[in-house]
Amino acid sequence: MTDADTDDIRTTGDGAGGGRGARPGGPPKALRMSVELPLWRALTGYRILTLVYVLGLFAVAYPRYAHPLGGAAYMAALTLWTALTWRRTTSAERCTRQFLLGDLGFAVGGILLTSLIDTQARIMGGAPTLPSIWAAGAVLGFAIKGGWRWAAVASSIVAAANLVERQALARDTVHNVVLVWVASVAIGYVVEVARASERTLARALQIEAATRERERLARDIHDSVLQVLAMVQRRGAAIGGEAAELGRMAGEQEVALRTLVAGGPVPRQRTAADAAEGAAVPAGPAVPGPPPGGPCDLMALLAPHAGAGVALSGPGTPVGLPAAAAGELAAAVGAALDNVRVHVGADARAWILVEDEPDAVLVTVRDEGPGIPEGRLAAAEREGRLGVALSIRGRLRELGGSAEWISVPGQGTEVELKVPKGRAPEGGRRGRHGHE
């Protein structure tokens, strides 16, 4: 945990009086939401109050010390240290490790100095040490700053000093040592839990603010750009000719813009007009490669396939897979869509459904074509056309998954691609395109 975890958490409004902290016509208001601040203030008060108590305790027992002037010198130094450093315990930023070590040094030094200042009879009789309960403040500072581990180390050092000063395992000494150790560790653990909750709350507020902003942009776009594109598509289809092509392009841009607003970038798709200018019609949109390691969101890799003729549906949350596995699965989906375009037609509609199961990811690609005759895939493989065998089945086999075709004549074809989670491809990547 770093000091930055206590920074301000900002919330945003939509300018229309949305939530707390929103100021119409102005920037969002910063809200201080640190759960540590009351703990630091309580520690500051504890150090001051216990110092007063310790000074009074020493004054009452002053005549009974073996070397009272030495005790008075320590008390003066302790008072000066507390007065000069009281602001150090008002926040995590000011309470540095060097200060905590100095505070612990004053506590441990005072405990060990007691055996030289006080009489042996008073020590064995259970008289308090020179810093008395002020020493617990040093341990609590470690607990609030660094959590239960720091608290355990600091309280153990204080416990060892108390045992050395007493030179015996007296019941009252052991009781006080265990009490300080348990209390400091418990407080340190509670602080760690509170910090984790604070980080979760900060993340939730950021997501909420981003969602509100996305919804606002979606409303504005829907009320303007999307309606214009939809009107151009309808008018172009009604007029026909070159206007029909313009309407079709407007429809594709409408779908791409809706996908972008919904949560993912969609690259521009090549059109038939591009092909007429000298380039071959591509088999499908270019799919960006996965990042070079770590988990990858499959939905982000499949988003570029969505368009006027392809509908993509899936969970509202990221579908995580190892980067290499996600890339291979996305390439297999691309190969299945290539087969739809080649064997059903460039204007054929297709649907991609992503299901995130507990132990696997299932992707279904369905089209509205005439279906695949029984035995056609096996015959194509024997004839050397290995698009299905290599581009789809081969990829899924390397992932430890499976690829199944469900086809009914006249009712289209479904390709079910299933990949277990946590499995990376065994071999290298193959080329993306391949047909039956």
Side-chain angles (χ1 to χ4, degrees):
M1 179 68 183
T2 63
D3 296 341
D5 290 324
T6 61
D7 289 342
D8 290 343
I9 299 174
R10 297 183 181 274
T11 59
T12 59
D14 56 6
R20 291 184 60 189
R23 289 179 292 179
K29 181 180 179 181
L31 299 179
R32 184 71 176 182
M33 301 188 65
S34 174
V35 296
E36 297 181 38
L37 194 56
L39 296 177
W40 289 115
R41 291 174 177 173
L43 178 59
T44 302
Y46 177 87
R47 295 177 77 237
I48 295 175
L49 292 177
T50 53
L51 175 65
V52 174
Y53 172 79
V54 167
L55 292 176
L57 200 65
F58 176 78
V60 171
Y62 183 84
R64 294 191 290 273
Y65 280 97
H67 303 282
L69 292 180
Y74 173 80
M75 290 299 172
L78 183 63
T79 302
L80 183 61
W81 168 259
T82 305
L84 294 177
T85 62
W86 72 270
R87 288 183 58 84
R88 289 280 190 171
T89 55
T90 56
S91 68
E93 292 80 2
R94 297 189 180 97
C95 187
T96 62
R97 294 183 182 182
Q98 292 76 10
F99 162 74
L100 288 175
L101 291 174
D103 216 36
L104 184 63
F106 260 90
V108 172
I111 294 172
L112 297 178
L113 188 63
T114 303
S115 59
L116 302 177
I117 300 298
D118 210 349
T119 63
Q120 187 65 26
R122 277 176 44 83
I123 293 176
M124 299 305 297
T129 60
L130 287 175
S132 186
I133 59 175
W134 185 92
V139 177
L140 293 178
F142 276 90
I144 300 174
K145 178 70 175 181
W148 69 269
R149 294 175 180 84
W150 286 25
V153 173
S155 58
S156 298
I157 294 175
V158 172
N162 275 281
L163 293 177
V164 170
E165 182 265 345
R166 189 68 179 270
Q167 297 181 355
L169 291 175
R171 185 175 62 179
D172 56 345
T173 301
V174 174
H175 172 78
N176 293 334
V177 164
V178 172
L179 180 62
V180 171
W181 196 91
V182 172
S184 61
V185 170
I187 291 175
Y189 179 76
V190 170
V191 168
E192 290 186 357
V193 172
R195 283 171 177 158
S197 301
E198 185 178 7
R199 290 193 296 269
T200 302
L201 175 60
R203 179 59 180 159
L205 290 176
Q206 292 173 357
I207 294 174
E208 180 185 10
T211 301
R212 288 182 179 178
E213 183 64 13
R214 183 180 297 278
E215 291 175 351
R216 184 187 68 80
L217 291 174
R219 289 194 300 268
D220 293 343
I221 292 174
H222 180 271
D223 293 341
S224 56
V225 181
L226 292 179
Q227 290 186 1
V228 172
L229 291 175
M231 182 183 68
V232 172
Q233 182 185 20
R234 293 194 301 270
R235 290 291 186 87
I239 296 174
E242 294 183 358
E245 174 65 14
L246 180 62
R248 187 184 65 79
M249 294 172 60
E252 291 182 352
Q253 295 303 315
E254 179 191 1
V255 173
L257 186 56
R258 288 186 186 276
T259 304
L260 178 63
V261 172
V266 179
R268 176 181 177 270
Q269 297 185 19
R270 297 283 301 277
T271 65
D274 297 327
E277 295 176 359
V281 177
V287 179
C296 180
D297 181 14
L298 179 63
M299 293 298 295
L301 295 183
L302 297 180
H305 289 298
V310 180
L312 173 62
S313 301
T317 56
V319 180
L321 279 175
E328 290 294 294
L329 181 54
V333 172
L337 292 175
D338 290 346
N339 283 331
V340 173
R341 297 184 184 95
V342 171
H343 297 285
V344 182
D347 296 329
R349 290 192 57 80
W351 293 264
I352 305 174
L353 174 62
V354 181
E355 300 176 77
D356 191 4
E357 300 178 348
D359 57 348
V361 174
L362 179 63
V363 181
T364 303
V365 181
R366 181 170 64 88
D367 63 59
E368 58 180 4
I372 303 176
E374 186 176 355
R376 182 69 183 90
L377 295 179
E381 187 171 349
R382 287 193 301 270
E383 294 169 3
R385 298 201 295 271
L386 303 179
V388 168
L390 293 181
S391 294
I392 301 178
R393 278 204 178 106
R395 282 189 167 97
L396 272 295
R397 188 183 305 115
E398 290 181 355
L399 297 175
S402 61
E404 300 292 337
W405 275 257
I406 304 173
S407 182
V408 178
Q411 298 184 18
T413 302
E414 285 189 8
V415 184
E416 291 188 354
L417 311 175
K418 188 173 184 178
V419 175
K421 293 184 176 179
R423 176 80 177 265
E426 298 174 358
R429 293 181 60 86
R430 293 188 176 94
R432 178 186 175 282
H433 298 294
H435 305 290
E436 178 189 290

